[in-house]
Amino acid sequence: MRKGKKLAGTAISYALTLLLLAFFIGPILWFALLAIRPSDTFFTMPPVLAFKPDWTSLHYTFGNPGNNLPQLVNSLIVAVGAVLLNLPFSLPAAYALSRFRIRGRKNIMLWYLGLLMAPPVAFLIPYSILASSVGLKGSYFSMILIMQTLTIPFSIWLMKSFIDEVPVEIEEAARVDGAKTPAIVLKIVLPLVRPGIIVTSMFAFVFAWNNAAFPLVLANRATATLPVGTLQYFGTAGVTWGFIGAAALAAMLPPMIIFLALDRYVVRGLTFGSVKG
């Protein structure tokens, strides 16, 4: 009797897990199929799952004429640039807020939180005017710089939590041996919080990669990113779902590859400091 209940509980847990996976993975698979699905099967009911792949949408978006291929490269440039510019500012700030008694530290953290909660559309007009006035509108640098509005506050909040878990006694012992603060940060703290740095960089990359609001007003035709380029397939004459599926599939792949390749760091980063001796 007890064995039967255990088997039933296991079966229910597996069924719920499969249902949850289908809920999250289903839209991804649907867009992947939409990119290679013949156009006459887009809205058939019931959905047609067995069909001969049609590569027209992928060929048009990334082959000939391949309008989205330069935009994919632009997205990579902006996202990687945002991460590289983000770390030198967020890491020292997170360490200072974690270790030093700064007046108004709580208010500073709340200000960073407010930046995260504010809708990006609220910054569009001021940023557009500022970028135009200094001659940076349409450049990669303007988008990379303004992406820091989102990436730096999030990175500081996340990195501070990782640095908080590093015992202060380790740094005090290094100071007793004559080590200075820069050496302590570079040779002791940063190696200990490396999983946190990797996780922070991954999320900063995704934030910059998925953002369409800032490039929409700051980019020009040559520097437009992939999320902005996808909007061209929504027109008054109709919506080209095959092209949208192809572009969306390309937009999903880089973050997925990064998280799958660095999943061990995600687990270590999210569980950092959860077990203490």
Side-chain angles (χ1 to χ4, degrees):
M1 185 70 177
R2 185 176 299 176
K3 186 176 181 180
K5 290 182 178 180
K6 185 177 180 180
L7 289 175
T10 303
I12 292 173
S13 64
Y14 276 114
L16 292 176
T17 302
L18 291 175
L19 183 63
L20 189 64
L21 286 175
F23 180 79
F24 286 104
I25 298 178
I28 299 176
L29 294 177
W30 183 262
F31 266 102
L33 292 176
L34 191 64
I36 60 174
R37 181 186 293 276
S39 58
D40 57 350
T41 63
F42 284 164
F43 300 106
T44 54
M45 287 296 171
V48 177
L49 298 179
F51 54 84
K52 183 180 179 181
D54 184 358
W55 306 101
T56 303
S57 297
L58 286 171
H59 181 69
Y60 180 87
T61 53
F62 298 104
N64 185 19
N67 295 330
N68 294 115
L69 185 58
Q71 296 164 356
L72 179 63
V73 176
N74 293 339
S75 291
L76 287 172
I77 293 173
V78 172
V80 173
V83 173
L84 295 178
L85 185 61
N86 166 63
L87 292 177
F89 290 96
S90 60
L91 289 176
Y95 181 82
L97 291 168
S98 175
R99 290 294 190 254
F100 300 145
R101 294 180 178 272
I102 301 174
R103 185 176 181 180
R105 178 173 58 179
K106 184 177 179 181
N107 293 331
I108 294 173
M109 296 300 294
L110 289 176
W111 179 64
Y112 285 137
L113 184 61
L115 287 175
L116 284 174
M117 296 177 65
V121 69
F123 304 105
L124 295 185
I125 295 177
Y127 282 161
S128 178
I129 296 173
L130 179 62
S132 297
S133 63
V134 297
L136 290 177
K137 192 170 183 180
S139 65
Y140 293 120
F141 181 72
S142 64
M143 291 183 283
I144 292 171
L145 183 62
I146 291 175
M147 287 293 180
Q148 307 310 310
T149 306
L150 300 176
T151 58
I152 285 182
F154 175 81
S155 299
I156 290 175
W157 265 91
L158 192 59
M159 281 306 308
K160 181 181 178 298
S161 64
F162 288 116
I163 297 173
D164 286 341
E165 298 297 335
V166 177
V168 182
E169 292 78 10
I170 298 177
E171 299 180 39
E172 292 175 348
R175 286 192 174 89
V176 170
D177 293 336
K180 302 298 182 181
T181 299
I184 292 173
V185 174
L186 292 175
K187 297 181 179 180
I188 297 177
V189 177
L190 293 187
L192 289 175
V193 298
R194 184 175 62 177
I197 296 174
I198 295 175
V199 171
T200 301
S201 300
M202 292 165 65
F203 279 104
F205 178 90
V206 172
F207 279 7
W209 177 269
N210 290 334
N211 189 281
F214 294 158
L216 188 62
V217 299
L218 295 173
N220 55 25
R221 184 179 295 271
T223 59
T225 58
L226 189 57
V228 175
T230 307
L231 298 177
Q232 67 180 317
Y233 300 124
F234 295 87
T236 55
V239 180
T240 49
W241 290 106
F243 299 157
I244 292 174
L249 181 63
M252 288 187 289
L253 283 178
M256 290 174 60
I257 292 172
I258 290 173
F259 274 83
L260 288 174
L262 302 175
D263 61 336
R264 63 185 185 277
Y265 291 105
V266 176
V267 175
R268 289 178 60 191
L270 296 179
T271 59
F272 188 83
S274 60
V275 179
K276 296 182 179 180

